[in-house]
Amino acid sequence: MKLPNTISSIIKLLLVAMLLMATGLRAESPENGSAERVVITLQDALIQAMQQGQKAGYGSRLKLLTPVIQQTHDLAVIIRSVLGAHWVKLDSGQQQAIIQAFQTNSVATYADRFNQYDGEQFRILEQTQLPRGRVLVRSQLVKADNGTVNFDYVLHKPGESWRIINIVVDGVSDLALKRAEYSAVLHENGINALIDMLNQKTSHIEQNQK
């Protein structure tokens, strides 16, 4: 007489377990396309580049990071934001030229700076909502001596995917730094000088890797 009850209890437990699994899968699905996941994708690639370090060389780090940075950053929006009112004064050819120079320099800078590994790890701290539909993902780079560097990412969602549009490192905005530097060049010598400056920075990085 107890057997049917036991079977019934087992079936109920199995059904509950299946329901919980299904619920868990639905909960995880949005995370795969979340702003946090975009930051994790970038940071995982940076750690991998650091682990490759000098052994693999600059070219290998560049090859690894190029598609990841293009996927996780909205570089065209970043450079438009940096240039501000200057952007609308450029013709289409100048706009494309500055976007290309900025993209190439951005990837080269990542490959240059994240070039050696000493046990560092990234960790996500929190994700918070910002005005205008943007999101802030706060994280830290934990160094081998347990010291930390704060990396806060601002992302927007222009289409189906979240993209990084600013990085704040220990309270210093990369966007603000670039605005100050680029504006000075624009005011002094114009857009062609800024494009040349970015290309020269990229060339300098490449030459130092040889």
Side-chain angles (χ1 to χ4, degrees):
M1 295 294 294
K2 292 183 179 179
L3 186 59
N5 290 335
T6 302
I7 294 174
S8 177
S9 297
I10 293 173
I11 292 173
K12 288 180 180 178
L13 288 171
L14 288 173
L15 288 172
V16 170
M18 290 173 64
L19 180 61
L20 289 172
M21 289 175 63
T23 303
L25 288 172
R26 284 196 299 271
E28 290 175 2
S29 295
E31 184 179 340
N32 291 334
S34 69
E36 183 178 319
R37 176 55 56 188
V38 171
V39 172
I40 291 171
T41 297
L42 170 65
Q43 293 181 337
D44 285 349
L46 294 178
I47 291 295
Q48 187 176 347
M50 292 165 69
Q51 289 172 337
Q52 290 182 1
Q54 299 300 324
K55 179 186 293 187
Y58 170 77
S60 294
R61 296 196 304 275
L62 195 69
K63 184 177 180 180
L64 166 69
L65 293 175
T66 296
V68 176
I69 293 167
Q70 290 175 343
Q71 173 192 348
T72 57
H73 293 62
D74 199 335
L75 294 171
V77 166
I78 293 172
I79 191 60
R80 289 202 299 268
S81 178
V82 167
L83 297 186
H86 295 283
W87 176 260
V88 296
K89 300 176 184 178
L90 307 179
D91 61 39
S92 60
Q94 291 172 323
Q95 290 175 348
Q96 289 303 312
I98 189 64
I99 288 173
Q100 184 59 53
F102 180 69
Q103 289 178 338
T104 303
N105 179 254
S106 296
V107 178
T109 301
Y110 266 115
D112 178 49
R113 291 180 179 175
F114 291 85
N115 64 349
Q116 57 185 4
Y117 184 70
D118 190 27
E120 298 90 344
Q121 294 295 329
F122 282 103
R123 65 185 179 194
I124 300 294
L125 301 180
E126 64 175 346
Q127 176 177 310
T128 58
Q129 196 69 37
L130 297 176
R132 300 168 59 188
R134 295 177 176 180
V135 165
L136 173 69
V137 177
R138 298 185 60 245
S139 69
Q140 285 183 333
L141 176 67
V142 183
K143 298 185 289 186
D145 61 0
N146 289 324
T148 59
V149 181
N150 295 309
F151 283 82
D152 298 338
Y153 299 83
V154 179
L155 300 93
H156 75 156
K157 195 175 186 181
E160 295 183 358
S161 302
W162 289 95
R163 296 291 181 89
I164 296 166
I165 56 173
N166 191 20
I167 303 174
V168 182
V169 182
D170 277 343
V172 179
S173 166
D174 183 62
L175 207 60
L177 290 175
K178 284 182 168 61
R179 279 177 182 154
E181 179 185 10
Y182 294 8
S183 293
V185 176
L186 283 170
H187 284 300
E188 290 278 334
N189 301 302
I191 187 63
N192 290 332
L194 178 57
I195 293 169
D196 288 342
M197 183 195 77
L198 290 172
N199 288 335
Q200 288 172 11
K201 282 188 172 185
T202 302
S203 296
H204 183 69
I205 290 172
E206 292 171 348
Q207 290 169 4
N208 285 344
Q209 302 299 325
K210 294 178 181 179

